[in-house]
């Protein structure tokens, strides 16, 4: 017998479903922090040992990365899947309940049905590159928001000047990050090749 762990990840908490090959499941919730990750590993070990266990979660921006790393570091097979794929699987199952607990069960069923491949953690340099890219995206969004503020008629000069200063600061940060990214890619052949493939 095997066990399949589906985890619905959010910023503050993890909803967990531990499913066996006979369809029996156990659900629980833990915080999405280092202590919660330890609790999760301990509870699943008590439920699963000595059975092989496959863990699965959706890619959720930055919120799944520490969890996936903790599970992989513990020697378990963990998969990080595209949320759209799991959502379509849930629709095919007829899963109409839309709760975090129900989503965790769908993820566990997905792991049981598809046995997705193991997640591979990006190298430290690639993780830095991803974080830098996210930051430039955030800064560009902030620039648009600030410029939209200037469309309000009759703004005091203090606000107009403050917005202009913020925009200039954000643009300078973007230039600095982009220069750093170019240097990183130039200095690391493997990273440069990955970036070229992505482009």
């Amino acid at each position: 017998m095997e066990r399949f762990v589906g985890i619905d990840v959010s910023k503050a908490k993890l909803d967990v479903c531990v499913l066996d090959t006979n369809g029996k499941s156990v659900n629980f919730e833990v915080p999405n922090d280092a202590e919660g990750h330890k609790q999760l590993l301990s509870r699943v070990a008590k439920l699963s040992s000595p059975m092989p266990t496959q863990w699965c979660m959706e890619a959720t921006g930055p919120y799944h990365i520490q969890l996936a790393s903790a599970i992989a570091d513990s020697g378990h097979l963990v998969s990080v899947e595209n949320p759209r794929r799991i959502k379509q699987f849930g629709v095919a199952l007829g899963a109409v309940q839309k709760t975090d607990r129900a989503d965790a069960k769908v993820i566990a069923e997905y792991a049981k049905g598809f046995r997705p491949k193991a997640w591979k953690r990006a190298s430290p340099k690639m993780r830095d590159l991803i974080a830098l890219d996210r930051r430039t995206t955030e800064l560009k969004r902030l620039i648009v928001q600030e410029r939209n503020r200037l469309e309000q008629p009759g703004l005091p000069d203090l606000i107009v000047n403050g917005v202009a200063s913020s925009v200039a600061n954000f643009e300078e940060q973007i230039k600095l990050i982009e220069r750093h990214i170019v240097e990183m890619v130039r200095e690391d052949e493997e990273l440069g090749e990955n970036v070229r493939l992505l482009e």
Side-chain angles (χ1 to χ4, degrees), residues 25-74:
S25 63
V26 175
N27 291 79
F28 60 91
E29 181 185 303
V30 294
N32 189 6
D33 58 23
E35 186 55 41
H37 300 167
K38 286 180 192 171
Q39 291 173 28
L40 169 64
L41 288 161
S42 174
R43 288 186 73 171
V44 172
K46 287 175 187 168
L47 290 167
S48 300
S49 186
M51 288 178 252
T53 305
Q54 176 157 1
W55 303 65
C56 189
M57 67 192 76
E58 297 174 329
T60 54
Y63 302 122
H64 72 277
I65 294 170
Q66 295 302 321
L67 171 63
S69 297
I71 295 168
D73 288 346
S74 297

Side-chain angles (χ1 to χ4, degrees), residues 22-190:
N22 294 329
K24 292 181 183 175
S25 63
V26 175
N27 291 79
F28 60 91
E29 181 185 303
V30 294
N32 189 6
D33 58 23
E35 186 55 41
H37 300 167
K38 286 180 192 171
Q39 291 173 28
L40 169 64
L41 288 161
S42 174
R43 288 186 73 171
V44 172
K46 287 175 187 168
L47 290 167
S48 300
S49 186
M51 288 178 252
T53 305
Q54 176 157 1
W55 303 65
C56 189
M57 67 192 76
E58 297 174 329
T60 54
Y63 302 122
H64 72 277
I65 294 170
Q66 295 302 321
L67 171 63
S69 297
I71 295 168
D73 288 346
S74 297
H76 297 288
L77 187 154
V78 59
S79 302
V80 178
E81 293 293 290
N82 184 320
R84 189 176 297 130
R85 189 174 295 146
I86 291 175
K87 181 179 179 181
Q88 289 170 347
F89 175 76
V91 169
L93 276 183
V96 290
Q97 269 189 313
K98 192 66 185 114
T99 64
D100 295 338
R101 182 178 176 150
D103 287 347
K105 177 125 190 239
V106 168
I107 295 167
E109 293 280 5
Y110 177 89
K112 180 182 170 190
F114 289 96
R115 318 238 174 182
K117 66 181 179 180
W119 170 77
K120 287 186 181 177
R121 187 181 354 204
S123 69
K125 284 185 179 177
M126 183 57 88
R127 291 198 298 269
D128 286 350
L129 186 63
I130 291 166
L132 291 166
D133 183 62
R134 280 195 184 127
R135 181 59 181 157
T136 57
T137 300
E138 290 166 3
L139 289 167
K140 287 172 183 175
R141 189 167 44 245
L142 287 169
I143 288 170
V144 170
Q145 289 173 357
E146 286 291 85
R147 286 189 173 142
N148 287 343
R149 283 184 178 82
L150 294 178
E151 293 176 7
Q152 299 173 38
L155 287 174
D157 288 344
L158 186 62
I159 293 176
V160 172
N161 294 336
V163 168
S165 176
S166 293
V167 168
N169 181 274
F170 295 151
E171 288 174 339
E172 189 55 41
Q173 286 183 53
I174 290 169
K175 286 178 190 171
L176 187 66
I177 291 170
E178 287 177 344
R179 280 196 301 268
H180 185 70
I181 288 172
V182 168
E183 286 173 23
M184 284 176 67
V185 170
R186 190 181 305 132
E187 290 172 5
D188 189 309
E189 191 175 313
E190 184 181 347

